[in-house]
Amino acid sequence: QMYVAESGGGSARPGGSLRLSCNVFGFTFESHGIGWFRQAPGKEREGISCIGGSAGTTYYADFVKGRFTISRDNANNKVYLQMNNLKPEDTAVYYCAADVLSPLGVQAMCSGVPEHWGHGTQVTVSS
């Protein structure tokens, strides 16, 4: 069985931090990419950050560069998204997703629609 499950959402004040976790089941990090996506009310879903391959290659959308960090724990089948300096516009439902990593790499994954999705976790940033 192959699936992903997020945890760690919640509320934070502007400038604060949260860490999201993605439990990954049935996928191998060497051949699959794991990514974080989000969707705010009234907006399209957007790719935030993806990681994949044996080297753990990463990709970040411009709007999170320098604030968010993706990492993975190979031994425990987890992928994390550390979110610092949160802004109100970061408020959204955050999803973890997984798919076979194509030769185009993690940037392509973050720009596309992965096959396997979690149920999402709410992140709210407000003062």
Side-chain angles (χ1 to χ4, degrees), residues 37 47 50 58-59 99-114:
F37 297 74
C50 293
T58 59
Y59 165 80
D99 206 345
V100 174
L101 194 61
S102 80
L104 297 177
V106 289
Q107 182 173 354
M109 179 183 177
C110 263
S111 302
V113 184

Side-chain angles (χ1 to χ4, degrees), residues 30-99:
E30 290 75 16
S31 59
H32 291 85
I34 309 297
W36 288 98
F37 297 74
R38 71 185 186 188
Q39 188 165 21
K43 294 188 177 181
E44 293 187 356
R45 182 179 55 208
E46 54 189 1
I48 303 168
S49 183
C50 293
I51 187 168
S54 57
T57 304
T58 59
Y59 165 80
Y60 295 93
D62 287 343
F63 54 84
V64 300
K65 281 182 180 177
R67 300 191 299 126
F68 291 9
T69 303
I70 192 170
S71 62
R72 70 186 187 194
D73 179 347
N74 291 1
N76 292 299
N77 296 317
K78 291 181 182 291
V79 173
Y80 301 101
L81 185 69
Q82 178 66 42
M83 306 186 293
N84 297 329
N85 191 21
L86 284 163
K87 303 176 181 180
E89 52 264 42
D90 293 320
T91 296
V93 177
Y94 284 67
Y95 297 91
C96 179
D99 206 345

Side-chain angles (χ1 to χ4, degrees), residues 3-45:
Y3 65 94
V4 294
E6 313 91 342
S7 62
S11 297
R13 297 198 182 277
S17 298
L18 286 171
R19 188 176 80 157
L20 305 182
S21 297
C22 177
N23 291 313
V24 180
F25 302 93
F27 302 94
T28 58
F29 287 136
E30 290 75 16
S31 59
H32 291 85
I34 309 297
W36 288 98
F37 297 74
R38 71 185 186 188
Q39 188 165 21
K43 294 188 177 181
E44 293 187 356
R45 182 179 55 208

